[in-house]
Amino acid sequence: MKNIIIFGAPGSGKGTQSDLLVEKYAFRHISTGDVLRAEIKNDTQLGRTAKSYIDKGQLIPDSLMISILAATYDSLLPCEGVIFDGFPRTIPQAEALQDMLSQRGTNVGVVLELQVSDDLLTERLLLRGKTSGRADDNAETIQARLAVYHNQTAPLAAWYDERGLLVRVNGVGSLEDINAALCAEINHLG
Ligand code: B4P
């Protein structure tokens, strides 16, 4: 069982690369962003709560995210591997993930960080905003999301590095080249 985290700032290509990895490997994919957007679309209680945070570029509270994650993970089992896209985003989420996986007799195999400059992230998200219809892909919210990323999520890179799990990958270039770099790391997992 392989548990692979795709880590990076908003717009770094986590979702894009996760989709390519799922095509190549027999892995399942958890995108917490997609889970939340589906709840918003279905106008559930969770969706209404999530929307109030997402529209401001803020993170959904950890307790809520963690309970959603465990249920989503269990719904995908059994499988050869799971790609976590957009989770964890805080150190409490990372600790909860570690506990959840160890309760199931498994652990995180690797954390692949996609590195992209803030200027390029902003450019990509503004471009995506023209077609995505996403309320959070506008200039003001993008700036808020980047600030949240640097304050709350980026410290996780050091946290995983201390545990020997972090691999940094250049997130700038063609989708194919970036994907090849990610696959090389995944193949090392054996
Ligand atoms: P997410 O849905 O996770 O989205 P994201 O970080 O904005 O984007 P991603 O990195 O997946 O970028 P993509 O591949 O689409 O989060 C949305 C919100 O949900 C968060 O702000 C938060 O409020 C909430 N949330 C989610 N998870 C949470 C959690 N765990 N805890 C709390 N809150 C949570 O790529 C972006 C664009 O770049 C696309 O248009 C793509 O085509 C383009 N692109 C990708 N790779 C490229 C390349 N190599 N070159 C050029 N363009 C590229």
Side-chain angles (χ1 to χ4, degrees), residues 2 185-190:
K2 296 187 176 87
E185 297 300 334
I186 291 172
N187 295 339
H188 280 156
L189 291 175

Side-chain angles (χ1 to χ4, degrees), residues 9-16 31-34 36-37 54 58-60 65 85-87 89 93 124-125 128 134 136 145 171 173-175 178:
S12 57
K14 300 182 297 291
T16 306
S31 160
T32 41
D34 285 351
L36 296 170
R37 281 185 290 276
I54 292 177
Q58 295 169 357
L59 297 180
I60 276 67
M65 256 352 287
D85 155 15
F87 189 98
R89 265 174 153 96
Q93 289 185 14
R124 284 184 187 178
L125 292 173
R128 183 173 72 183
R134 277 177 54 166
D136 57 347
R145 288 161 67 195
S174 73
L175 299 186
I178 297 167

Side-chain angles (χ1 to χ4, degrees), residues 4-27:
I4 295 157
I5 297 174
I6 307 292
F7 179 79
S12 57
K14 300 182 297 291
T16 306
Q17 289 297 332
S18 297
D19 288 345
L20 294 173
L21 293 173
V22 168
E23 270 175 36
K24 187 174 165 83
Y25 299 94
F27 293 158

Side-chain angles (χ1 to χ4, degrees), residues 23 25 28 32 37 45 76 81 85 96 111 113 160 165-166 185:
E23 270 175 36
Y25 299 94
R28 306 298 300 273
T32 41
R37 281 185 290 276
Q45 178 61 46
L76 302 178
D85 155 15
V111 179
E113 180 185 4
Y160 277 120
L165 291 169
L166 186 77
E185 297 300 334

